[in-house]
């Protein structure tokens, strides 16, 4: 009997058996008892009954759309239903599209919310199964054959980065036990693509719901679906679409393109609002004690963005949330500096930004300078750029560049500041993120003589031994002059502090005239109060230094300086003689 049991346990499972086994394990490992009760209650209360195969319960497309409260105006319901049907077949694409019965929906919610990580030892690449969820077959390419692979061969597939070979890592480990399965293996390259129009609709929806929280109704964001708001959001969508680097507008998005864009420029596109939306399955109205207080709670909450800037608005903040965690953005950013309000001077920037001990976002917008500048100041700026010029990227719309800094700003005359968590990015006309490198450490500099720079060394214009009249630009860098009047973005090669972009390749340069600079602090009232107190202390120290006049009684004067905290306690107040 022991041999028979072992033989049964180790036999290869069919795709249907493995699917059922995974659903059972997901239900057991991924959800609490209350969540599973809520899940069952939501499913059974809305399920339709099939009139075949014994009358099982399932959800239709209309049921899913109504439960998630999806706005019909965006036409995103069919796209999400297709994704759910494909994920419901996990781990075997052979079973897709799956009927959305209880087992299928358990897998859908576990995969979209990331709960699957609690059950699987060898975790599948989420980019792979999420791409397959939204992709469709290109009918002009041969269909994959079925094959049975050995565990070691499949492990090679699991770690493979082949852009077209998309096995869904059907071999999984549950409680440390390997479950072999009948899986798919391509005999030739198979192309799956996400239709560009589907991606447009999906990105529009995901940007609109980016701030969504668990069990929060989409009704809380009904104003985000107003026609006038969607018009502006559509412009943001086009910038994000350009970030995929497609050559033509009718080109579908392949896995290679999808993977590259998600990993480099949009890592949180599918992991912010979408998981919160599908978490609705885990909350039953029968158990939700806060339902009656929901509207009142929404009424007293702070706005998602405390105020709108010249550059930053809710649409652009949603775009930034594609690569910066939403918990650092929503209801957390406040305007520290705006050139149009405080003046385009580095002194004003210093007084507003320094001593903010939390992450910051710098945004700069401007109009491109033509290859032959038409103003004397623009010509003077371009004459200070290195003589080796690269093709300029002239676009009809304004450019918006930015930097997300984890570390506080500081005056830097010699060495740059920042760390490898800094992100240099472009938001318009193309969405692109240039991640930090460790080949060099010129992440950021700031001082009144040199201006502001990211990816370039400190300019040191005032040093007598400086032997070049030109700006020192990094391979990938953003440099603003000391008057905050002009800027240049350089994209000419690897080896610098930031990696090259993925969507717009080649060597190029953007020279632009600045029309706005904004710095936003990522933090709340406590960070603002800490900054205020730090500046008060600095001003009080400066005032004391100006007001104290030393007399002839050196010991009395020393005691006075010690009382003021200017000498003693490991501080130097200079010579008393």
């Amino acid at each position: 009997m022991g041999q028979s049991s072992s033989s049964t346990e180790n036999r290869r499972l069919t795709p249907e058996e493995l699917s059922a086994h995974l659903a059972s394990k997901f239900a057991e490992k991924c959800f609490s008892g209350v969540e599973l009760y809520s899940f069952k209650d939501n499913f059974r209360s809305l399920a339709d009954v099939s009139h075949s195969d014994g009358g099982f319960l399932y959800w239709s497309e209309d049921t899913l759309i109504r439960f998630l409260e999806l706005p019909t105006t965006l036409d995103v319901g069919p796209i999400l239903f297709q994704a759910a049907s494909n994920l419901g077949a996990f781990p075997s694409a052979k079973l897709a599209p799956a009927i959305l019965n209880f087992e299928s929906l358990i897998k859908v919610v576990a995969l979209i919310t990331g709960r699957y990580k609690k059950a699987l030892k060898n975790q599948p690449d989420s980019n792979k199964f999420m791409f397959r969820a939204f992709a469709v077959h290109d009918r002009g390419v041969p269909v994959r054959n079925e094959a049975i692979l050995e565990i070691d061969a499949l492990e090679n597939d699991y770690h493979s980065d082949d852009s077209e070979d998309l096995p869904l890592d059907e071999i999984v480990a549950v409680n440390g036990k390997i479950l072999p399965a009948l899986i798919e293996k391509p005999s030739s390259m198979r192309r799956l693509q996400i239709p560009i129009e589907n991606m447009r609709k999906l990105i529009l929806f995901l940007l609109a719901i980016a701030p969504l929280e668990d069990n929060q109704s989409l009704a809380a964001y009904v104003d985000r679906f107003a026609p006038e708001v969607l018009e502006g959001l559509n412009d943001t969508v086009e910038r994000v679409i350009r970030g995929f680097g497609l050559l033509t507008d009718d080109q579908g998005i392949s896995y290679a393109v999808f993977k590259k864009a998600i990993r480099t420029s949009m890592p949180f596109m599918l992991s912010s609002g979408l998981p919160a939306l599908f978490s609705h399955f885990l909350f039953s109205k029968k158990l939700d004690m806060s339902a009656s207080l929901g509207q009142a709670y929404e009424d007293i909450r702070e706005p998602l963005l405390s105020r709108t800037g010249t550059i930053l608005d809710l649409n652009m903040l949603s775009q930034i949330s594609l690569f910066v965690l939403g918990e650092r953005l929503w209801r957390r950013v406040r305007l520290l500096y705006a050139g149009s309000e405080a003046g385009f001077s580095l002194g004003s920037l210093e007084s507003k930004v320094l001593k903010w001990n939390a992450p910051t976002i710098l945004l700069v917008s401007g109009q491109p300078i033509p290859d032959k500048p038409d103003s004397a100041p623009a010509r003077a700026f371009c004459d200070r750029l290195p003589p080796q010029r690269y093709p300029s990227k002239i676009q009809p719309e304004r450019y918006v560049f930015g930097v997300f800094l984890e570390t506080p700003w500081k005056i830097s005359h010699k060495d740059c500041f920042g760390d490898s968590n800094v992100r240099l990015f472009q938001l318009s006309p193309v969405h692109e993120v240039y991640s930090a490198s460790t080949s060099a450490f010129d992440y950021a500099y700031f001082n009144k003589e040199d201006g502001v720079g990211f990816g370039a060394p400190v300019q040191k214009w005032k040093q007598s031994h400086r032997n070049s009249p030109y700006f020192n630009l990094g391979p990938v860098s953003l440099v603003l002059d000391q008057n905050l009047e002009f800027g240049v973005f350089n994209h000419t090669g690897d080896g610098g502090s930031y990696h090259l972009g993925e969507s717009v390749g080649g060597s190029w340069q953007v020279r632009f005239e600045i029309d706005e600079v904004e710095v936003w602090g990522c933090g709340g009232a406590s960070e603002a109060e800490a900054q205020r107190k730090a500046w008060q202390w600095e001003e009080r120290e400066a005032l004391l230094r100006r007001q104290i006049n030393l007399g002839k009684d050196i010991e009395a004067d020393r005691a006075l300086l010690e009382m003021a905290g200017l000498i003693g306690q490991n501080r130097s107040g200079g010579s008393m003689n």
Side-chain angles (χ1 to χ4, degrees):
M1 291 182 61
Q3 291 180 346
S4 175
S5 174
S6 176
S7 175
T8 301
E9 182 177 302
N10 292 325
R11 69 179 178 82
R12 295 188 182 276
L13 303 178
T14 67
E16 291 81 4
E17 289 173 332
L18 180 56
S19 178
H21 181 85
L22 276 181
S24 175
K25 286 300 180 182
F26 282 169
E28 176 187 353
K29 300 290 185 180
C30 301
F31 308 108
S32 68
V34 172
E35 289 174 334
L36 198 56
Y37 171 85
S38 298
F39 204 131
K40 292 177 180 178
D41 180 61
N42 286 325
F43 174 76
R44 291 168 179 167
S45 62
L46 298 175
D48 296 317
V49 180
S50 171
H51 297 295
S52 60
D53 297 331
F56 62 88
L57 301 179
Y58 72 98
W59 273 25
S60 65
E61 178 178 324
D62 182 63
T63 302
L64 184 68
I65 291 174
R66 284 189 291 110
F67 176 74
L68 296 179
E69 301 176 326
L70 302 179
T72 56
T73 54
L74 299 187
D75 197 27
V76 74
I79 297 173
L80 291 183
F81 181 76
Q82 172 205 312
S85 299
N86 287 337
L87 290 176
F90 183 86
S92 175
K94 175 186 177 182
L95 303 179
I99 296 173
L100 293 186
N101 54 23
F102 182 72
E103 288 182 351
S104 296
L105 281 172
I106 281 286
K107 289 186 289 181
V108 170
V109 176
L111 292 170
I112 290 180
T113 62
R115 300 286 191 98
Y116 69 90
K117 297 174 183 177
K118 297 180 179 181
L120 300 184
K121 181 180 179 181
N122 295 340
Q123 295 174 5
D125 184 347
S126 61
N127 286 335
K128 287 184 179 180
F129 65 70
M130 291 305 291
F131 172 80
R132 180 171 281 174
F134 292 103
V136 298
H137 285 273
D138 184 336
R139 300 299 181 184
V141 180
V143 180
R144 291 155 60 108
N145 294 331
E146 297 291 324
I148 295 181
L149 299 181
E150 296 300 325
I151 290 176
D152 56 348
L154 185 56
E155 285 297 319
N156 290 333
D157 282 335
Y158 178 80
H159 295 292
S160 172
D161 208 28
D162 191 326
S163 62
E164 300 295 346
D165 182 5
L166 289 176
L168 269 182
D169 311 310
E170 284 86 350
I171 194 164
V172 296
V174 183
N175 294 333
K177 180 178 68 175
I178 297 296
L179 299 174
L182 178 66
I183 66 169
E184 299 174 84
K185 175 66 178 179
S187 58
S188 61
M189 291 295 186
R190 180 200 63 173
R191 293 188 181 275
L192 286 174
Q193 292 188 339
I194 301 178
I196 189 65
E197 280 308 311
N198 283 11
M199 183 57 82
R200 278 195 174 94
K201 294 173 183 177
L202 179 62
I203 292 176
L204 179 65
F205 178 67
L206 293 177
L207 290 175
I209 69 165
L212 190 68
E213 300 173 6
D214 287 354
N215 198 33
Q216 188 180 29
S217 172
L218 278 184
Y221 302 99
V222 64
D223 57 328
R224 300 284 288 150
F225 303 115
E228 60 275 12
V229 176
L230 290 177
E231 183 177 352
L233 199 55
N234 271 312
D235 294 336
T236 304
V237 170
E238 290 307 309
R239 295 193 284 268
V240 175
I241 287 292
R242 291 175 197 145
F244 285 95
L246 302 179
L247 299 177
T248 62
D249 194 55
D250 58 353
Q251 181 182 356
I253 297 175
S254 67
Y255 177 63
V257 171
F258 177 84
K259 177 186 63 177
K260 186 182 296 183
I262 294 296
R263 289 183 177 178
T264 59
S265 295
M266 317 172 197
F268 304 128
M269 185 178 81
L270 297 170
S271 59
S272 52
L274 195 62
L277 180 66
F278 276 80
S279 73
H280 287 194
F281 281 91
L282 309 180
F283 297 88
S284 171
K285 292 182 178 179
K286 292 181 180 179
L287 301 178
D288 188 4
M289 298 296 101
S290 63
S292 60
L293 301 177
Q295 186 57 50
Y297 176 65
E298 290 295 333
D299 290 342
I300 63 174
R301 298 195 72 183
E302 294 181 17
L304 294 169
L305 181 60
S306 57
R307 58 163 292 186
T308 298
T310 303
I311 304 177
L312 187 67
D313 58 12
L314 272 178
N315 294 339
M316 189 162 284
L317 194 61
S318 294
Q319 186 179 352
I320 294 173
S321 75
L322 295 176
F323 57 90
V324 177
L325 281 173
E327 63 193 35
R328 307 183 109 173
L329 302 176
W330 305 115
R331 302 182 175 88
R332 296 286 295 170
V333 297
R334 57 180 60 209
L335 184 63
L336 301 180
Y337 167 82
S340 60
E341 298 178 8
F344 288 92
S345 75
L346 293 174
S348 297
L349 178 61
E350 176 185 340
S351 67
K352 300 291 185 180
V353 173
L354 260 62
K355 305 189 187 307
W356 178 268
N357 292 317
T360 52
I361 299 171
L362 176 139
L363 299 172
V364 55
S365 64
Q367 301 298 328
I369 300 173
D371 292 334
K372 295 183 177 180
D374 50 11
S375 71
R379 285 194 296 273
F381 172 74
C382 291
D383 287 343
R384 297 172 67 193
L385 298 177
Q388 182 180 2
R389 297 297 170 83
Y390 294 92
S392 60
K393 292 286 184 179
I394 304 297
Q395 298 286 347
E397 55 186 293
R398 71 173 180 170
Y399 281 86
V400 177
F401 296 102
V403 178
F404 177 79
L405 275 169
E406 293 266 13
T407 57
W409 286 63
K410 66 179 183 179
I411 304 296
S412 47
H413 289 285
K414 294 182 178 180
D415 300 316
C416 292
F417 63 95
D419 58 27
S420 59
N421 293 316
V422 65
R423 288 185 279 286
L424 180 64
F425 55 86
Q426 180 183 172
L427 298 179
S428 180
V430 177
H431 177 94
E432 185 78 273
V433 176
Y434 311 92
S435 59
S437 166
T438 54
S439 298
F441 305 98
D442 299 324
Y443 298 124
Y445 71 80
F446 168 61
N447 67 71
K448 293 181 181 179
E449 292 78 29
D450 298 323
V452 186
F454 307 93
V458 181
Q459 302 298 325
K460 301 180 181 179
W461 289 111
K462 291 294 183 70
Q463 291 193 3
S464 58
H465 63 272
R466 195 181 196 279
N467 55 14
S468 172
Y470 303 118
F471 277 99
N472 193 346
L473 304 180
V476 178
S477 60
L478 172 65
V479 171
L480 311 182
D481 71 355
Q482 57 267 49
N483 299 317
L484 297 182
E485 187 177 6
F486 298 101
V488 56
F489 187 88
N490 213 42
H491 186 276
T492 58
D494 279 319
S497 301
Y498 296 94
H499 293 292
L500 288 168
E502 297 284 357
S503 65
V504 183
S507 296
W508 48 272
Q509 188 179 83
V510 176
R511 304 173 285 276
F512 59 96
E513 183 173 1
I514 296 171
D515 56 41
E516 183 63 295
V517 179
E518 294 175 355
V519 179
W520 296 77
C522 301
S526 60
E527 287 82 1
E529 180 64 14
Q531 184 192 37
R532 185 186 67 81
K533 288 182 177 180
W535 274 117
Q536 282 184 341
W537 183 88
E538 182 106 348
E539 292 169 359
R540 187 166 56 249
E541 288 281 289
L543 184 61
L544 286 171
R545 291 178 190 274
R546 289 195 300 267
Q547 288 182 343
I548 291 177
N549 296 313
L550 297 181
K552 296 181 180 180
D553 190 343
I554 295 178
E555 292 303 319
D557 290 333
R558 182 180 296 276
L560 182 60
L561 288 172
E562 287 177 347
M563 290 175 61
L566 299 181
I567 65 172
Q569 300 174 344
N570 298 321
R571 296 183 60 173
S572 174
S575 174
M576 292 289 295
N577 297 316

